Amino acid sequence: MTAWRAATLGSGTALSLALCGCGAGRAPLEPPPASQQEDMWRHLATDADRTRLRGWRGAWVTAAAKARAADPAAVAAAGALFAPDIALDRPVPPAGRYRCRVFKLGARTPGMPDFLAYPWFECRIAASAQGEAQLVKLTGSQRQVGTLYRHDDRRAVFLGTLMLADETRALAYGRDPERDLAGWATRVGDGRWRIALPHPAFESLLTVIELVPVG
């Protein structure tokens, strides 16, 4: 584990501090060397999440097939949202308020639905102290919280955790594998972004978060 990753995980990450407001008076973390900045996420991601990120296409193909069989009309109506290879420039949503909704494709266990579409919730994108974009899902019983790291001109990596029920503070990334989340963020249209999370610990083979700016 690199010193940067260890320091980040040990501090609970900037996303936890932003959520609970408990970072006041604490010196900011030193950024990694310039040679590491382009793919900073590689120095932060757990081994399990690197595996999930590498295997995203297999998860997508299997999950999408199950979802189409369960509700072909809903999957077709989503258009570009569920097209795996659509990735436009500017993959990181700008700071601001967003409407967000969550789709779960492909059941992890028998008896679970293969397609779930949740209503719109509230999300926020804000800049971290290190300059990356942070996502906080503000409403709902499952709330994704994490940071978007630039990967290239068309994709960013999301690393974060899942908050449940009435919890008021996010777990530090890397502390609980069942709460850790990793995925690919892309822009799929004008004012429309998605974060695709392959093999989350709960319920689905693929979770897709759609983000649309408010106003």
Side-chain angles (χ1 to χ4, degrees):
M1 179 182 291
T2 67
W4 166 249
R5 178 177 167 193
T8 302
L9 298 183
S11 70
T13 76
L15 65 92
S16 294
L17 299 178
L19 191 68
C20 69
C22 55
R26 180 176 296 180
L29 296 172
E30 289 296 324
S35 61
Q36 298 178 5
Q37 288 180 3
E38 183 175 353
D39 275 351
M40 187 185 300
W41 68 268
R42 297 184 188 277
H43 304 277
L44 302 176
T46 65
D47 291 341
D49 281 348
R50 292 184 193 183
T51 298
R52 287 199 281 192
L53 290 167
R54 284 195 300 268
W56 72 271
R57 178 173 286 280
W60 198 305
V61 169
T62 302
K66 289 188 172 187
R68 280 193 297 270
D71 196 336
V75 173
L81 190 65
F82 298 147
D85 295 319
I86 292 183
L88 305 176
D89 60 348
R90 293 180 284 116
V92 177
R97 295 171 54 230
Y98 287 79
R99 294 189 305 146
C100 54
R101 57 180 174 170
V102 175
F103 299 86
K104 298 192 176 184
L105 283 63
R108 287 183 62 87
T109 56
M112 296 286 293
D114 282 317
F115 182 79
L116 281 173
Y118 290 86
W120 290 100
F121 294 103
E122 297 178 23
C123 285
R124 181 179 69 236
I125 298 287
S128 73
Q130 287 75 37
E132 290 88 19
Q134 292 184 332
L135 166 72
V136 178
K137 185 171 179 285
L138 298 169
T139 56
S141 60
Q142 296 183 8
R143 300 179 301 284
Q144 292 83 9
V145 180
T147 303
L148 292 160
Y149 299 95
R150 185 181 180 277
H151 176 71
D152 56 32
D153 290 339
R154 296 184 182 272
R155 294 193 300 168
V157 169
F158 174 83
L159 298 177
T161 60
L162 186 66
M163 294 179 64
L164 300 175
D166 59 353
E167 293 176 347
T168 59
R169 181 173 179 176
L171 291 174
Y173 173 75
R175 183 169 295 173
D176 183 348
E178 290 195 348
R179 297 289 193 96
D180 285 347
L181 298 170
W184 293 102
T186 55
R187 186 170 67 88
V188 297
D190 292 337
R192 193 184 191 197
W193 286 263
R194 73 174 175 216
I195 300 173
L197 305 166
H199 293 297
F202 302 108
E203 300 178 336
S204 61
L205 298 177
L206 179 73
T207 293
V208 178
I209 305 171
E210 180 181 10
L211 295 158
V212 177
V214 173

